[in-house]
Amino acid sequence: MAMEITQFLLSAQSPDARVRTEAETNLKQFQEQNLPQFLLSLSFELANNDKPAESRRLAGILLKNSLDAKDSATKDHLVKQWFAIDVALKSQIKELLLRTLASSAQEARHTSAQVIAKVASIEIPQKQWPELVGSLLANMTQQGSPAHLKQSTLETLGYVCEEISHHDLVQDEVNSVLTAVVQGMNQSENSADVRLAAAKALLNALDFSQTNFENENERTYIMKMVCETACSKEAVIRQAAFECLVSIASTYYDVLAQYMETLFQLTSNAVKGDEENVALQAIEFWSTICDEEIDRQEYDSPDTGDSSPPHSSFIEKALPHLVPMLLETLEKQEEDQDHDDDVWNISMAGGTCLGLVSRTVGDAIVPLVMPFVEINIRNPNWRSREAATYAFGSILEGPTIDNLAPMVAAGLEFLLAATKDENNHVRDTTAWTLSRIFEFLHTPDSGFSVISQENLPKIVKVLLESIKDVPNVAEKVCGAIYNLAQGYEDSAAGSSLLSPYLTEIITHLLDAAARTDGAESKLRTAAYETLNEVVRCSNLLESSGIITQLLPVIMTKLGQTMDVATVTTEDREKQAELQASLCGVLQVIIQKLSSTEETKPIISQNADQIMVLFLRVFGCHSSSVHEEAMLAIGALAYATGAEFLKYMPELFKYLQMGLQNFEEYQVCSITVGVIGDICRALDDKILPFCDPIMGQLIENLKSDALHRSVKPPIFSSFGDIALAIGAHFERYVGAALQIMQGAAQVCAQMDTLDEELMDYANQLRKSIFEAYSGILQGFKDGKAEVMMPYAQHLLQFVEVVSKDSLRDESVTKAAVAAMGDLADVVGEQTKQLFTNFTFCGEFLNECLQSEDEDLRVTTRWAQGMIARVVYTSS
């Protein structure tokens, strides 16, 4: 029997902290001591129309939190708890939730819809709660069902479709759900609330509709209803219908041809005259069509011989009408629009779409856009000037250089002058357009650049004047300098045209980063990122002196951040952000100067002071800084080699903290990578630290609480450690190989239909092979026999992987390398194994046919190693 918990739920929201804490404690105790009754009591509370709205609201939140969590380990635990509850009691809970859908209280219905979907996400994949869909559909078809019940039922169906996979429902159920949803969109029969819920539900149900979209009659009926809904008198319903059309454009591109004329008319009307939220979705429809066609064009490579998915050239056919429509949107700027990245309005959407159209059709867009640019670029109205500049910048990717070069050469001088335009918006877009020109038309290494020795002085002068502009413009100028520097990256052999300007550029970037308004428009971050790129792409022969002078400047700035008092959370966040940027600059300087033997000593001479700074940064306990400082320490280890040993006693505790930081798993992942860097720097001098490192790494692999993305780097690090300490790795072989074999087993059981899971499986398999290779190579000079008991598993694993057509090329390469290492290191003892595993020859021959030169080289080497073993007389 459910317990009366109304008072606890109300008290848990009391303004009195003592009352609130006591109630929260009581609720927590109830949950821990009797979870089934706790959930039942919450369900009663939610279902009871006589209870206060406040207690029902909290009951719903607690129910949701008892079934779902963002953290995968917590979620798995909650699912296990739910399965452990008595079936009869779970049925009671589910019945109460379904009953709540008829409640007169909208909030209770909404919460119940979400909770039902959470239960469905747990049970339906396990073939439980088979009657759910039928129960929900009955609400829709029953004579006299009130509108609010239909609305909440459709909302529930939408959430259920969002939570489960389309493999979890049989086609009859899909048909019934779609029928109910599409009928719910019927304007003549339903209220606005019902139609809105139906349109939102359809959006989530579209993934389930593959079979229905293959049937022309069913598809046409669905399209007819969506198009009619897109003309509803309520803007919010029109918006939901256009969101469905965006999803259809992506999922069912292949069957859209017969509807495109209607869809163009619909979207065109919305873009020209509807409310902004609706117009944005209408533009998004065309952006999605572009994305589809760009993907298909990239897939359609004549070299591969693959049959590409059909390409209907919708954009090309619509071009004469589509481009004018998009150009019109560019003049709908907001007077006081914010320039932050998270602002999205119709002119930005139109420009983005125009850029995608340009990438889709290439040269064909130029004659349609350039007259608009020429007419408006000098217009007294700032909107026209900004729109013309935005249009010009948007078409710089897609058309051929032959087509773009003359117009960019003709317009460059004008754009440089426009950085002084009286209007902030125009200057902002001008700087962005210059940045795009330097990105796409400045590749001296390939033999073409709009920038020459003659115009570079003026370009640099203009950029360095404009970087002093207001933050939103200065941030775009940083982008232009970034791309300008990047174009000269490959000029290392000779001389870089940018070298004479480096000191001036670096000075102006440091000044921009130090501005009091540097936090606006992320200017400070942009300035430091650009500084990194300028240093990274510089010609070291010409820039080593400048970079050497920059090093103490950045070290001083980093030291100063530690002397600033941080009182508020905002202070600490600012400090962390600045420290992260400065550690990033130091990392780039360390990497640059340590890339040649001549400049490496500069880092060695400063290493002690640099390390002191990084250790002080760790003392600030901020994860974002922790990441940047850890990456920079990896670079320092490479630069200083064996000398790095002296830093280990003090650094080691921070490495351990990094490895134990499951919550901020990126920190953990970076720390794993840095341990690899340190192993390569110290070789066997890392040995005294290996027991705690290996112990922690193995603990991490066993833990369900650690984000799965960290596990492949850990396996790879086994190889790094083994290579560093050689035969001393013997003491870890048992534990390491056992967990590697377990992970290989997990790979074999992964769902190949889940694209994200397959990406992870490929990373995991590659890292296991890398671990095998590193461990084997570590035993090359002694104790190779230690690996013989694991040789059979390695070849079995390679065989399983060789049969997987979805494997990544990098996995194949790692597998082949591991086979070669096995033959090379363990030698004659593996003769019988290689003879028995008949797949080896066929697999290696297949790899020799690859287009990847590295793979062919690795394969030829592996074949030689295996042949040496197999054909050697015993």
Side-chain angles (χ1 to χ4, degrees):
M1 180 60 210
M3 182 177 136
E4 175 62 50
I5 58 169
T6 308
Q7 198 49 53
F8 289 146
L9 291 167
L10 292 173
S11 297
Q13 301 170 73
S14 166
D16 185 325
R18 188 186 54 78
V19 173
R20 192 169 64 246
T21 306
E22 190 180 330
E24 285 169 353
T25 306
N26 286 328
L27 287 167
K28 193 152 189 60
Q29 278 177 351
F30 184 15
Q31 182 178 15
E32 287 167 356
Q33 288 164 11
N34 194 340
L35 180 68
Q37 287 298 322
F38 177 70
L39 296 178
L40 184 62
S41 301
L42 291 173
S43 305
F44 264 110
E45 191 76 24
L46 184 61
N48 191 335
N49 281 329
D50 297 330
K51 295 292 184 183
E54 292 78 12
S55 64
R56 295 174 82 183
R57 182 186 304 123
L58 185 55
I61 290 168
L62 293 173
L63 268 171
K64 271 194 293 187
N65 293 346
S66 301
L67 295 165
D68 192 26
K70 284 180 182 173
D71 175 62
S72 58
T74 310
K75 184 168 183 171
D76 290 345
H77 174 65
L78 296 175
V79 168
K80 283 174 188 156
Q81 282 187 330
W82 174 261
F83 281 133
I85 296 172
D86 174 68
V87 173
L89 199 141
K90 279 193 288 196
S91 294
Q92 260 186 289
I93 292 170
K94 291 187 285 194
E95 190 50 49
L96 286 163
L97 291 170
L98 287 168
R99 199 196 307 165
T100 309
L101 295 178
S103 168
S104 55
Q106 191 274 332
E107 191 176 6
R109 297 198 307 271
H110 171 69
T111 304
S112 188
Q114 291 178 313
V115 178
I116 289 167
K118 294 299 177 192
V119 176
S121 73
I122 296 169
E123 296 205 342
I124 288 180
Q126 305 302 321
K127 305 299 177 206
Q128 297 180 18
W129 210 1
E131 68 278 13
L132 170 63
V133 172
S135 303
L136 292 170
L137 293 173
N139 292 345
M140 299 300 296
T141 52
Q142 241 164 21
Q143 198 66 39
S145 271
H148 69 259
L149 175 58
K150 286 185 175 182
Q151 182 271 331
S152 58
T153 300
L154 287 164
E155 187 177 17
T156 308
L157 284 167
Y159 287 143
V160 169
C161 289
E162 190 176 20
E163 289 285 348
I164 64 175
S165 159
H166 60 278
H167 303 295
D168 294 329
L169 294 184
V170 297
Q171 190 56 42
D172 282 351
E173 289 176 311
V174 173
N175 294 344
S176 302
V177 168
L178 274 176
T179 302
V181 168
V182 174
Q183 283 176 353
M185 293 166 75
N186 192 316
Q187 204 156 341
S188 59
E189 293 175 23
N190 295 299
S191 68
D193 285 347
V194 171
R195 285 173 15 247
L196 178 60
K200 287 182 172 179
L202 179 62
L203 183 62
N204 289 327
L206 283 168
D207 273 349
F208 293 71
S209 312
Q210 194 76 43
T211 304
N212 310 84
F213 266 79
E214 285 165 7
N215 177 311
E216 187 178 348
N217 290 338
E218 291 182 33
R219 176 175 76 236
T220 299
Y221 181 63
I222 294 170
M223 291 299 291
K224 175 176 173 287
M225 291 306 292
V226 176
C227 290
E228 283 179 11
T229 306
C231 298
S232 299
K233 66 175 188 290
E234 300 87 355
V236 68
I237 298 178
R238 295 198 299 277
Q239 181 184 341
F242 274 109
E243 284 171 10
C244 289
L245 289 175
V246 170
S247 179
I248 289 167
S250 169
T251 315
Y252 301 111
Y253 171 93
D254 295 338
V255 293
L256 282 184
Q258 71 197 90
Y259 314 107
M260 284 308 284
E261 206 170 313
T262 305
L263 293 172
F264 182 82
Q265 209 49 57
L266 264 181
T267 51
S268 179
N269 291 343
V271 171
K272 287 176 179 173
D274 211 327
E275 293 184 20
E276 183 167 78
N277 284 345
V278 183
L280 286 172
Q281 289 303 319
I283 295 171
E284 187 62 25
F285 171 84
W286 289 103
S287 292
T288 305
I289 295 285
C290 287
D291 286 335
E292 277 300 307
E293 297 195 348
I294 289 166
D295 283 350
R296 286 158 195 254
Q297 282 158 205
E298 286 172 358
Y299 189 97
D300 191 12
S301 164
D303 307 332
T304 61
D306 293 337
S307 58
S308 62
H311 188 315
S312 301
S313 304
F314 293 137
I315 298 298
E316 192 182 326
K317 290 168 188 169
L319 208 56
H321 308 288
L322 181 59
V323 171
M325 177 183 89
L326 293 172
L327 291 172
E328 216 174 284
T329 66
L330 301 187
E331 295 193 71
K332 295 182 179 177
Q333 310 97 325
E334 291 170 21
E335 187 73 51
D336 55 346
Q337 81 184 24
D338 199 335
H339 290 267
D340 284 347
D341 290 345
D342 53 0
V343 172
W344 192 242
N345 58 41
I346 196 159
S347 68
M348 290 177 177
T352 302
C353 187
L354 190 65
L356 289 167
V357 171
S358 177
R359 286 175 57 198
T360 310
V361 300
D363 289 341
I365 200 167
V366 176
L368 293 170
V369 171
M370 283 313 291
F372 175 85
V373 175
E374 286 157 7
I375 290 165
N376 291 290
I377 199 81
R378 298 174 197 276
N379 195 304
N381 184 337
W382 74 263
R383 288 179 188 282
S384 301
R385 296 198 304 281
E386 196 273 342
T389 312
Y390 194 10
F392 187 70
S394 297
I395 63 166
L396 292 171
E397 185 181 9
T400 57
I401 282 181
D402 288 348
N403 227 313
L404 290 174
M407 67 182 202
V408 170
L412 187 58
E413 191 70 30
F414 181 88
L415 287 167
L416 291 171
T419 58
K420 297 279 192 297
D421 193 282
E422 64 193 31
N423 182 273
N424 177 345
H425 297 288
V426 177
R427 296 197 307 278
D428 182 289
T429 305
T430 300
W432 172 81
T433 300
L434 286 169
S435 174
R436 300 258 300 171
I437 289 172
F438 302 155
E439 183 179 359
F440 299 114
L441 290 128
H442 168 50
T443 50
D445 199 49
S446 69
F448 177 80
S449 175
V450 294
I451 301 170
S452 63
Q453 202 160 354
E454 289 69 43
N455 65 14
L456 182 59
K458 179 164 187 183
I459 289 169
V460 172
K461 182 170 181 282
V462 166
L463 293 176
L464 297 186
E465 283 170 9
S466 292
I467 204 170
K468 298 170 190 167
D469 205 330
V470 291
N472 60 284
V473 176
E475 186 266 339
K476 301 288 192 311
V477 173
C478 286
I481 296 171
Y482 185 104
N483 290 328
L484 179 69
Q486 204 170 59
Y488 292 113
E489 181 181 359
D490 297 318
S491 61
S495 174
S496 168
L497 285 182
L498 204 59
S499 294
Y501 307 98
L502 279 185
T503 303
E504 210 180 345
I505 290 171
I506 288 170
T507 303
H508 279 77
L509 287 168
L510 289 172
D511 289 347
R515 280 169 56 160
T516 52
D517 57 2
E520 292 175 37
S521 300
K522 300 179 183 155
L523 171 58
R524 184 171 296 116
T525 304
Y528 279 123
E529 284 174 359
T530 304
L531 177 60
N532 289 347
E533 200 63 5
V534 168
V535 170
R536 195 182 69 77
C537 298
S538 66
N539 181 316
L540 192 55
L541 287 172
E542 299 170 326
S543 67
S544 60
I546 299 164
I547 297 170
T548 303
Q549 287 171 349
L550 178 63
L551 178 58
V553 173
I554 300 298
M555 287 167 64
T556 302
K557 284 180 181 292
L558 183 57
Q560 286 166 347
T561 65
M562 263 114 22
D563 302 328
V564 176
T566 51
V567 182
T568 64
T569 307
E570 193 185 347
D571 288 343
R572 282 188 288 277
E573 282 173 4
K574 276 183 186 170
Q575 181 199 46
E577 196 179 312
L578 183 53
Q579 287 176 342
S581 292
L582 291 165
C583 286
V585 180
L586 282 176
Q587 183 196 346
V588 174
I589 292 174
I590 292 165
Q591 287 170 331
K592 191 71 179 178
L593 291 176
S594 60
S595 63
T596 69
E597 290 306 317
E598 292 77 23
T599 51
K600 220 181 214 181
I602 300 163
I603 297 301
S604 307
Q605 289 154 20
N606 290 278
D608 289 0
Q609 290 165 278
I610 294 172
M611 197 66 197
V612 167
L613 286 168
F614 290 152
L615 292 171
R616 285 183 69 197
V617 166
F618 283 139
C620 295
H621 302 299
S622 167
S623 73
S624 63
V625 172
H626 200 160
E627 281 180 57
E628 301 289 346
M630 202 52 98
L631 285 165
I633 280 171
L636 191 64
Y638 170 81
T640 55
E643 289 294 308
F644 193 82
L645 182 63
K646 63 183 171 184
Y647 308 125
M648 283 300 288
E650 211 171 332
L651 173 66
F652 190 64
K653 65 179 176 186
Y654 295 113
L655 291 173
Q656 284 181 302
M657 282 163 59
L659 291 179
Q660 290 160 4
N661 194 344
F662 287 12
E663 199 175 326
E664 292 151 337
Y665 63 87
Q666 295 94 333
V667 173
C668 185
S669 186
I670 285 166
T671 307
V672 171
V674 168
I675 282 169
D677 295 333
I678 293 170
C679 286
R680 285 184 285 278
L682 297 185
D683 290 327
D684 59 357
K685 294 188 180 71
I686 189 78
L687 190 58
F689 305 95
C690 282
D691 280 359
I693 288 174
M694 280 300 295
Q696 187 62 54
L697 291 174
I698 285 168
E699 278 304 303
N700 286 14
L701 288 169
K702 288 178 181 172
S703 170
D704 289 334
L706 180 62
H707 195 277
R708 69 184 188 193
S709 66
V710 185
K711 297 189 176 182
I714 292 178
F715 283 120
S716 299
S717 75
F718 284 178
D720 295 328
I721 293 167
L723 277 168
I725 64 173
H728 295 292
F729 196 81
E730 182 182 5
R731 70 177 95 170
Y732 310 120
V733 164
L737 270 289
Q738 184 185 358
I739 209 157
M740 282 160 62
Q741 289 173 346
Q745 192 67 36
V746 169
C747 287
Q749 294 160 357
M750 281 187 186
D751 177 7
T752 54
L753 293 169
D754 185 328
E755 203 174 314
E756 201 177 307
L757 212 52
M758 277 316 296
D759 283 347
Y760 174 64
N762 277 323
Q763 290 167 24
L764 196 54
R765 294 188 298 195
K766 179 187 172 204
S767 68
I768 294 168
F769 287 129
E770 286 175 347
Y772 267 117
S773 279
I775 294 168
L776 282 161
Q777 288 171 34
F779 287 116
K780 190 164 184 178
D781 296 330
K783 298 196 177 177
E785 67 280 358
V786 170
M787 289 302 289
M788 190 57 207
Y790 307 100
Q792 182 161 348
H793 172 266
L794 171 54
L795 291 179
Q796 284 169 340
F797 185 36
V798 175
E799 184 171 19
V800 170
V801 169
S802 73
K803 291 173 181 168
D804 176 15
S805 59
L806 296 172
R807 71 177 184 273
D808 196 73
E809 196 86 307
S810 64
V811 175
T812 308
K813 208 178 298 181
V816 171
M819 289 168 73
D821 286 322
L822 178 63
D824 181 28
V825 175
V826 185
E828 277 186 43
Q829 295 176 63
T830 60
K831 178 175 182 174
Q832 198 57 51
L833 272 178
F834 277 112
T835 307
N836 293 348
F837 277 94
T838 52
F839 84 93
C840 290
E842 194 181 320
F843 175 51
L844 292 172
N845 284 332
E846 179 198 318
C847 294
L848 283 175
Q849 307 309 310
S850 167
E851 291 180 1
D852 186 320
E853 173 63 22
D854 286 350
L855 176 55
R856 293 200 302 274
V857 169
T858 305
T859 304
R860 283 193 287 270
W861 170 79
Q863 275 183 326
M865 290 297 124
I866 294 166
R868 199 174 69 184
V869 168
V870 172
Y871 300 117
T872 300
S873 52
S874 303

